[in-house]
Amino acid sequence: MSKALPSLKDPTGREHLLAGKAIIIGRAVENDIVISSKRVSREHACVRREGWRVMLEDLGSTNGTFLNDERLLAPMQLRDGDQIKVGDVVFTFHDPEVTTQETTRPELAVDMVAGVVRVDRQVVALAPKEFDLLAYLYRRQGEVCSKDEIGTAVWPEYQDGVFDYQIENLVRRLRSKLEPDPASPQMLLTIRGRGYKLSI
């Protein structure tokens, strides 16, 4: 029995199966999916298989490719139900092999260079100190970081150190932006008597 294939469903309800290694979307007639719109580049975007993963990549299009209403800046793995917008056309990605995740832990992604933080693929706006704290913990994810270490890393301008309440308030603010339930954190954990650690 053949495995069901991942697919893109267009607004008409037609499913475009990812039977080969890649699907090219664009204005040129030789593409796998043709969109005859001036807002769409000749070769606009590519959906390709990499082992068990399916990736979406913009092919240097003029007007950009959007994943869940965000412009794609780098290739990104697709998940069942993702919305892909090319020009004015929105496709829905479907992966029949998807397994239901029992965990409800959110997905955290930190782009250190761009200073962009995403939780479950949605951009989260952080204040500078909130980002500094997250970046420090992210670089040392899984390690317990003491309040002294955090204070030195996040407030280097304070030569005499910082107060515990400043760190605790900052942790609380960061949790409110990252955690679905800040009162029961799943990522930014308190290790009693030792400090904090980021678990992702």
Side-chain angles (χ1 to χ4, degrees):
M1 189 171 125
S2 62
K3 280 176 34 174
L5 295 170
S7 64
L8 295 179
K9 183 180 282 189
D10 67 26
T12 69
R14 180 185 172 194
E15 290 201 348
H16 304 266
L17 296 178
L18 190 55
K21 283 282 187 186
I23 288 177
I24 306 295
I25 306 170
R27 199 174 72 243
V29 293
E30 60 267 22
N31 290 321
D32 301 289
I33 300 176
V34 179
I35 303 174
S36 53
S37 165
K38 290 183 178 178
R39 297 193 71 245
V40 176
S41 299
R42 286 184 58 79
E43 288 192 347
H44 196 105
C46 173
V47 178
R48 68 177 186 274
R49 295 168 73 176
E50 291 184 355
W52 58 270
R53 302 191 307 166
V54 179
M55 307 295 292
L56 173 66
E57 181 179 3
D58 181 78
L59 299 176
S61 67
T62 302
N63 293 311
T65 301
F66 292 79
L67 176 61
N68 300 327
D69 295 324
E70 266 192 62
R71 186 163 184 158
L72 202 66
L73 302 177
M76 190 165 282
Q77 183 180 344
L78 291 173
R79 290 187 170 183
D80 188 55
D82 277 347
Q83 303 277 305
I84 300 164
K85 186 175 182 182
V86 176
D88 294 319
V89 180
V90 177
F91 299 89
T92 302
F93 175 70
H94 178 55
D95 182 1
E97 295 294 312
V98 70
T99 51
T100 304
Q101 293 186 346
E102 292 182 2
T103 178
T104 57
R105 177 182 289 189
E107 179 189 348
L108 175 67
V110 181
D111 185 332
M112 295 288 199
V113 177
V116 176
V117 176
R118 289 182 174 85
V119 175
D120 289 336
R121 299 184 169 217
Q122 300 299 313
V123 173
V124 176
L126 298 181
K129 290 298 184 189
E130 292 167 353
F131 181 83
D132 290 345
L133 171 60
L134 178 59
Y136 179 71
L137 294 173
Y138 189 81
R139 283 192 292 265
R140 298 182 57 183
Q141 57 187 275
E143 297 180 30
V144 179
C145 302
S146 70
K147 287 182 178 178
D148 285 345
E149 292 170 327
I150 290 171
T152 301
V154 177
W155 286 274
E157 68 275 19
Y158 288 7
Q159 300 299 319
D160 297 329
V162 296
F163 295 104
D164 282 1
Y165 78 85
Q166 292 174 280
I167 296 169
E168 290 160 5
N169 286 342
L170 186 60
V171 168
R172 187 161 51 247
R173 293 204 307 272
L174 185 56
R175 278 180 177 150
S176 73
K177 295 184 178 181
L178 300 183
E179 304 277 3
D181 180 4
S184 301
Q186 301 175 60
M187 295 185 293
L188 210 176
L189 307 177
T190 299
I191 310 301
R192 192 170 297 279
R194 296 180 61 198
Y196 301 97
K197 77 171 181 178
L198 189 67
S199 177
I200 59 174

